[in-house]
């Protein structure tokens, strides 16, 4: 089992594959190693992965940027749409049609960039929520932004259509779904996301990864309550593409009949894995989720099933 990830201060993206040999690299796409050649390939055992995380922790995105320097100038671009997606989360669309190179650099779901405002002290890192195909056809990048008091993100969420922001080049290797291809060999894919971490997961699902040709694809999506759960209007479409949505609420209202607590614990209660060797896992959420004991227990469950 191998993890390939790109990490930030608040969000980590991980792809897990089986012990089987890796799929051959698609020659039609540039290698992700060309973007960040120093990002590691981890050992093959799941508990070795957790020991690596516990000993070394996730590096900050600033460290990643020092390893992969950004030489692209900041690109000014106007906001084309901004509105609430859920409580404290905003849907933001930015018109990048004047920057075709920027659009073309968005090649894989899970990539991200920096956004800065004229009077903000520092930029904010945002995962691109729209799939690459949509960005190419509409000339827009879409984001799911959490408004945090006193942050650049909060200032961004106060802007209006037509206001101009600045974008860096697109960064990161994204989700390497070739690691769990073809679907016939990896029929089970487990996806875990919390809060605004569902943003790149939207890009992944809507990009398509053969979910309709897999027997078991599940998204465990965690939020405090339904008012804080974004993209509920997209759930039906995601389900029709072959992804089963399992909302998990940590502080639900009294009438909630679904899963409660942590996404990892919800999976551990289900324990519905018929073939661990044919199972892939995608994790996207805060660093604490990946490091805390609940995720370690989740990895132990996967290890015991194998």
């Amino acid at each position: 089992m191998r993890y390939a990830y790109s990490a930030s201060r608040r969000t980590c993206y991980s792809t897990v594959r089986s012990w089987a040999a890796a799929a051959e690299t698609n020659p039609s796409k540039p290698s992700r190693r060309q973007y960040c050649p120093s990002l590691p390939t981890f050992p093959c055992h799941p508990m070795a992965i957790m020991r690596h995380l516990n000993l070394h922790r996730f590096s900050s995105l600033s460290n990643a940027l020092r390893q992969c320097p950004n030489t692209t100038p900041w690109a000014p671009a106007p906001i084309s749409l901004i509105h609430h997606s859920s409580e404290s989360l905003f849907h933001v669309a930015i018109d990048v049609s004047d920057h075709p190179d920027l659009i073309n650099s968005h090649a894989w779901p899970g990539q991200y960039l920096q956004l800065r405002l004229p009077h903000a002290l520092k930029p904010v890192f945002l995962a691109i929520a729209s799939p690459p195909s949509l960005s190419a056809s509409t000339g827009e990048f879409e984001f799911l932004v959490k408004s945090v008091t006193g942050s650049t993100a909060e200032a961004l969420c106060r802007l209006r259509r037509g206001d101009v922001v600045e974008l860096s080049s697109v960064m990161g290797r994204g989700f390497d779904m070739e690691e769990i291809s073809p679907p016939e060999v990896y029929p089970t894919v487990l996806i875990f996301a919390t809060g605004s971490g569902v943003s790149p997961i939207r890009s992944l699902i809507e990009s398509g990864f053969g979910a309709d040709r897999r027997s078991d694809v599940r998204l465990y999506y965690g939020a405090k309550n339904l008012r804080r759960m974004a993209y509920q209007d997209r759930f039906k479409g995601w389900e029709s593409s072959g992804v089963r949505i399992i909302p998990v609420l940590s502080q639900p209202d009294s009438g909630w009949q679904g899963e409660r607590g942590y996404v990892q614990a919800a999976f551990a209660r289900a324990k519905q894995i018929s073939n661990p060797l044919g199972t892939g896992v995608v994790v996207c959420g805060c660093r604490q989720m990946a490091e805390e004991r609940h995720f370690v227990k989740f990895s132990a469950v996967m290890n015991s099933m194998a």
Side-chain angles (χ1 to χ4, degrees):
M1 185 175 289
R2 175 196 275 174
Y3 279 64
Y5 76 92
S6 60
S8 75
R9 292 184 180 88
R10 299 189 61 253
T11 306
C12 63
Y13 315 120
S14 303
T15 301
V16 182
R17 69 173 182 179
S18 170
W19 287 272
E24 294 183 358
T25 303
N26 185 346
S28 65
K29 290 184 178 181
S31 169
R32 291 168 172 81
R33 290 276 168 190
Q34 296 176 11
Y35 286 85
C36 294
S38 59
L39 288 178
T41 296
F42 288 109
C44 63
H45 196 282
M47 295 313 294
I49 298 301
M50 299 315 301
R51 285 195 294 272
H52 182 94
L53 296 182
N54 289 333
L55 289 173
H56 300 285
R57 304 292 179 180
F58 283 102
S59 62
S60 69
L61 189 52
S62 60
N63 290 334
L65 289 176
R66 282 195 291 270
Q67 296 170 1
C68 306
N70 173 21
T71 58
T72 304
W74 290 92
I79 293 176
S80 54
L81 184 66
I82 184 167
H83 62 75
H84 271 283
S85 180
S86 67
E87 187 177 283
S88 79
L89 293 175
F90 286 76
H91 173 84
V92 179
I94 297 177
D95 183 357
V96 291
S97 58
D98 288 339
H99 306 284
D101 290 343
L102 190 62
I103 295 174
N104 292 335
S105 66
H106 183 209
W108 302 291
Q111 291 180 292
Y112 54 92
L113 49 68
Q114 295 180 85
L115 180 150
R116 71 180 185 184
L117 305 178
H119 304 294
L121 294 178
K122 58 183 180 180
V124 60
F125 296 97
L126 298 174
I128 303 173
S130 48
S133 59
L134 183 63
S135 300
S137 63
T138 64
E140 291 183 336
F141 284 166
E142 297 181 3
F143 305 92
L144 184 66
V145 183
K146 182 177 181 179
S147 179
V148 178
T149 302
S151 68
T152 301
E154 181 188 39
L156 170 62
C157 294
R158 291 177 176 175
L159 298 181
R160 299 180 179 181
R161 179 179 179 181
D163 289 338
V164 176
V165 300
E166 292 183 317
L167 304 178
S168 74
S169 60
V170 174
M171 294 175 282
R173 299 178 298 168
F175 296 112
D176 188 359
M177 298 307 288
E178 294 172 2
E179 296 282 0
I180 51 174
S181 296
E184 295 75 17
V185 178
Y186 303 95
T188 300
V189 177
L190 306 173
I191 306 171
F192 298 85
T194 58
S196 59
V198 77
S199 175
I201 297 300
R202 174 202 157 189
S203 181
L204 172 65
I205 294 174
E206 296 181 6
S207 292
F209 58 96
D212 58 341
R213 293 184 286 129
R214 304 178 194 262
S215 59
D216 182 14
V217 180
R218 285 174 258 165
L219 167 59
Y220 289 87
Y221 179 13
K224 184 175 181 179
N225 51 53
L226 286 177
R227 295 184 298 279
R228 296 203 175 188
M229 183 164 282
Y231 296 147
Q232 294 182 54
D233 58 330
R234 295 182 176 271
F235 286 179
K236 185 176 181 180
W238 292 356
E239 296 244 359
S240 66
S241 71
V243 180
R244 178 186 170 197
I245 312 298
I246 304 174
V248 184
L249 305 183
S250 60
Q251 297 181 31
D253 296 332
S254 58
W256 176 247
Q257 300 297 315
E259 292 286 348
R260 296 169 178 257
Y262 295 92
V263 292
Q264 306 93 317
F267 164 75
R269 288 191 294 268
K271 295 182 179 179
Q272 297 172 348
I273 298 295
S274 59
N275 178 18
L277 295 179
T279 298
V281 180
V282 179
V283 181
C284 186
C286 63
R287 182 173 65 181
Q288 179 184 0
M289 181 187 75
E291 294 180 337
E292 66 184 7
R293 60 186 176 87
H294 294 276
F295 193 80
V296 175
K297 288 181 178 179
F298 157 72
S299 295
V301 169
M302 289 292 290
N303 186 38
S304 66
M305 287 180 176

